[in-house]
Amino acid sequence: MNVKPPVPKQMEGKYVLFAIVLLGVAGGGGGWWYHQHLQRRPLILWGAEAANLILRAPDVELCRLQKKAPAGGASINLLVANGETYEATDCKDATRMRGFLHLRHSLLNDYSFDWSDPESAQREWRYVLRFRDGPKTATILVSDDFGYVQLAETGAKACIQPIAEGVEQVLGLQPQRLCLKTPAT
């Protein structure tokens, strides 16, 4: 008599498919939660519309700021921050700058900010990033040490010391070289 060994019980295909779908949904939900956690405070700081512009605006301009005496007329190149009037000069297209996409994402990442810094000190703003999409604009002022930012439209300020070196590197600026030159005496 020929005895056949018992056939091992196999899992049905529908259970395997269900397990794969369940893992996919869990992974997607985990990824969504993780990104929401990383962006919660920056979204509160910038606001949803400005955050969207920072991330997706097709036109981004980088300019140097110079203090200017208040003038009677309004100009797209004049900004007022903390009671000081600044003029945007030496503007250039920033959208194709090396590493700029990383900077955009960093400005929306919780770990890029030092939330323990109360930002009580008055800052000197030396650079401006204008994010534009048609009539919508988000204007971010950058301090001369690259450690602080302010959204000009709302006045929201934050410390970005954790990424200050990277911001300086991406923008390709050296504060010592770009400071206003004073005539030799």
Side-chain angles (χ1 to χ4, degrees):
M1 187 160 124
N2 207 358
V3 179
K4 291 185 177 178
V7 178
K9 195 173 185 180
Q10 295 182 358
M11 186 180 283
E12 290 187 35
K14 64 182 177 184
Y15 295 121
V16 173
L17 184 59
F18 178 72
I20 291 172
V21 169
L22 188 62
L23 282 172
V25 169
W32 174 83
W33 176 86
Y34 179 72
H35 282 287
Q36 289 298 324
H37 177 71
L38 278 180
Q39 296 176 342
R40 184 178 52 85
R41 290 191 285 189
L43 282 172
I44 292 169
L45 173 72
W46 302 128
E49 186 174 313
N52 189 42
L53 286 169
I54 291 168
L55 192 58
R56 295 186 177 91
D59 300 318
V60 184
E61 185 178 52
L62 168 65
C63 303
R64 192 172 114 195
L65 293 176
Q66 293 179 331
K67 276 191 180 179
K68 185 171 179 78
S75 168
I76 194 165
N77 288 331
L78 291 181
L79 297 164
V80 177
N82 306 332
E84 297 284 342
T85 303
Y86 296 91
E87 181 177 17
T89 62
D90 302 329
C91 297
K92 62 181 179 179
D93 181 18
T95 54
R96 300 203 191 325
M97 291 174 61
R98 183 179 170 148
F100 191 72
L101 182 60
H102 297 294
L103 176 61
R104 284 180 174 224
H105 288 278
S106 293
L107 289 172
L108 295 173
N109 186 321
D110 192 54
Y111 296 119
S112 298
F113 297 87
D114 180 355
W115 299 106
S116 66
D117 188 331
E119 180 39 50
S120 59
Q122 184 78 0
R123 297 282 162 210
E124 288 294 321
W125 305 110
R126 293 285 182 231
Y127 313 99
V128 64
L129 286 166
R130 284 191 189 136
F131 299 87
R132 287 193 190 121
D133 188 3
K136 298 177 185 176
T137 303
T139 309
I140 294 183
L141 306 170
V142 181
S143 65
D144 55 356
D145 64 355
F146 298 95
Y148 295 87
V149 289
Q150 176 177 333
L151 183 62
E153 288 80 5
T154 64
K157 296 179 191 174
C159 174
I160 57 167
Q161 286 295 334
I163 62 166
E165 188 177 319
V167 172
E168 180 179 5
Q169 195 173 37
V170 168
L171 298 182
L173 304 171
Q174 298 295 322
Q176 299 81 9
R177 286 189 236 151
L178 286 179
C179 290
L180 296 173
K181 295 184 181 185
T182 55
T185 55

